[in-house]
Amino acid sequence: MSGLMRRKPIGGVERHEGRLTPTLSWPHLVALGVGAIVGTGILTLIGVGADRAGPSVLLSFAIAGAICACAALAYAELAAMMPAAGSAYTYSYAALGEIFAWVVGWSLILEYSLVVSTVAVGWSGYASPLLMGFGFPEALTQGPELGGLINLPAILIIAVVTFLLLLGTHESARVNTVLVLVKIATLSLFVAVALPSFDAGHLHPFMPYGFASVAGEDGVPRGVMAAAAIIFFAFYGFDAISTAAEETKRPERDLAIGIVGSMLVCTLIYILVAAAAIGAVPFTGFADSPEPLALILRELGRPGVAKIVATAAVIALPTVLLAFLYGQSRIFLAMARDGFLPRSLTVISSRGTPARITTATAILVAILAGLLPIGEIAALANAGTLIAFMAVGACLIVLRRQRPDLKRPFRTPAALLVGLGAVLGCLYLFVSLPVQTLLWCLLWNGVGLAIYFGYARRRSALSA
């Protein structure tokens, strides 16, 4: 086998260096997935999606959800087979080879870093006005690109979440579960208030901009698929569950329940929220609004409920940070074990957490959130995720064909169709991204390949 196609053994759990302690069960995993998935996406992207597709944003949600469901089923089978911390990186290493694993791992770094940083900046946007009311300097609430010095609230919320993770996986999972319940209750409150005002007339015309993604006179792409490519951001996050494989008590059962269960719960929530929003108010009334749910509630004459929804959303938003920061630290841990990062980072603390890698990860995303122009490059998170999802779909197909004898605690039904659905669906969404985003993605992976051939390949554990 050539050096570029070196593969790790299927399973990947024979390593004892930096092993994590199993403390999680399937309810924790479902909460971790819901916490990662339900965040700024549904709170803001329903407005962006309505601007791109009109009432047919309901179809956009269904299409994005179906593509993510294919990826989720592929993740479920592979995670149960290979209960290791590296997620898509580990699966690609075993099924596709080292260089593909590096590209996927490099893409996951892009995804997780930008999601954590972007959500932290978004949380700061809600918290900063409150802090400035107490005399907090405005220059410390914005990064240099907005005329400030540093976005200190974004850094502080990352520090708080990091502290929770360092306390221990089980302890942080319990806090996450409580905040996830707050989030679900908040969205349920919105549906309960808005759905009785449903007016079927607001659904006509259902598809005012057509199905395909076509740029309008203002240069903005519109259509069902244009909205789906953006709404995709609101669905991913379930992949963070697969990074918890080593810390799951019964990974052969609980990982599949957590991944598929969280996708089902979130898809149901999203469809209900989108239907309630579109039916309650004409889509032009909240299209492209930064706070569409609160705006709809005010339009319905329920300003008090609008404040509750907005406040509860801010309180619960750190669950996204917790899930993605947790996931990124575990992916880094897997890459450090394989020699791509310093092996000293694989040390596990007395509380059972990879303290060094978690702290290093937090420092990285805090720098991004505090100083860099996140708003201009956040769309890259979608590109990194789509690459990882395509790889997982490909891994499912390759292993089904090459290793049908392997034990599969969870078997994805219609594996070939599911794998192709993940690969082709994500590829379609990938090419639907803005050209500038694709160019940034190409540059990112070009830098990644240069690092691989110039540094990482020689340090790989399989090269030893």
Side-chain angles (χ1 to χ4, degrees), residues 38-322:
V38 180
T40 53
I42 190 60
L43 297 174
T44 60
L45 289 184
I46 180 74
V48 177
D51 177 65
R52 302 295 191 272
S56 60
V57 70
L58 292 171
L59 185 56
S60 302
F61 268 103
I63 291 172
I67 293 172
C68 283
C70 289
L73 287 170
Y75 265 99
E77 177 168 316
L78 296 172
M81 287 173 59
M82 293 176 268
S87 183
Y89 160 79
T90 294
Y91 315 148
S92 298
Y93 213 148
L96 304 178
E98 183 179 275
I99 189 170
F100 292 102
W102 172 265
V103 171
V104 171
W106 192 247
S107 297
L108 289 171
I109 292 172
L110 184 69
E111 171 197 350
Y112 281 69
S113 298
L114 292 181
V115 168
V116 172
S117 302
T118 302
V119 173
V121 170
W123 182 89
S124 174
Y126 287 105
S128 293
L130 298 175
L131 293 173
M132 287 188 289
F134 291 98
F136 196 82
E138 184 177 2
L140 299 182
T141 64
Q142 297 176 341
E145 81 283 359
L146 295 178
L149 295 176
I150 190 171
N151 194 331
L152 197 56
I155 294 175
L156 290 176
I157 192 61
I158 290 173
V160 170
V161 171
T162 302
F163 175 73
L164 281 175
L165 290 173
L166 293 177
L167 280 180
T169 300
H170 188 68
E171 290 78 5
S172 57
R174 287 196 296 182
V175 174
N176 178 71
T177 299
V178 172
L179 294 179
V180 164
L181 292 175
V182 171
K183 241 192 308 201
I184 292 176
T186 300
L187 293 174
S188 298
L189 176 63
F190 171 80
V191 171
V193 173
L195 200 56
S197 300
F198 187 91
D199 182 354
H202 294 159
L203 299 179
H204 301 288
F206 183 69
M207 204 179 293
Y209 306 116
F211 184 82
S213 177
V214 179
E217 294 181 358
D218 56 359
V220 176
R222 286 187 169 84
V224 172
M225 292 309 299
I230 296 173
I231 286 171
F232 171 78
F233 178 87
F235 275 96
Y236 67 77
F238 60 84
D239 50 319
I241 297 173
S242 63
T243 67
E246 289 180 24
E247 291 158 280
T248 302
K249 294 177 182 177
R250 297 182 61 183
E252 69 283 353
R253 182 199 68 173
D254 291 351
L255 288 171
I257 294 175
I259 292 170
V260 177
S262 62
M263 268 299 299
L264 290 175
V265 169
C266 292
T267 300
L268 177 62
I269 291 173
Y270 283 5
I271 294 297
L272 286 174
V273 170
I278 293 292
V281 175
F283 79 92
T284 53
F286 62 90
D288 227 7
S289 167
E291 47 165 8
L293 301 190
L295 176 61
I296 290 169
L297 290 170
R298 288 195 294 269
E299 289 290 323
L300 295 176
R302 305 297 294 272
V305 179
K307 289 182 179 179
I308 293 174
V309 169
T311 303
V314 174
I315 293 173
L317 200 56
T319 61
V320 182
L321 297 176
L322 189 147

Side-chain angles (χ1 to χ4, degrees), residues 368-381:
L368 291 174
L371 298 174
L372 298 185
I374 298 300
E376 298 179 11
I377 59 175
L380 276 172

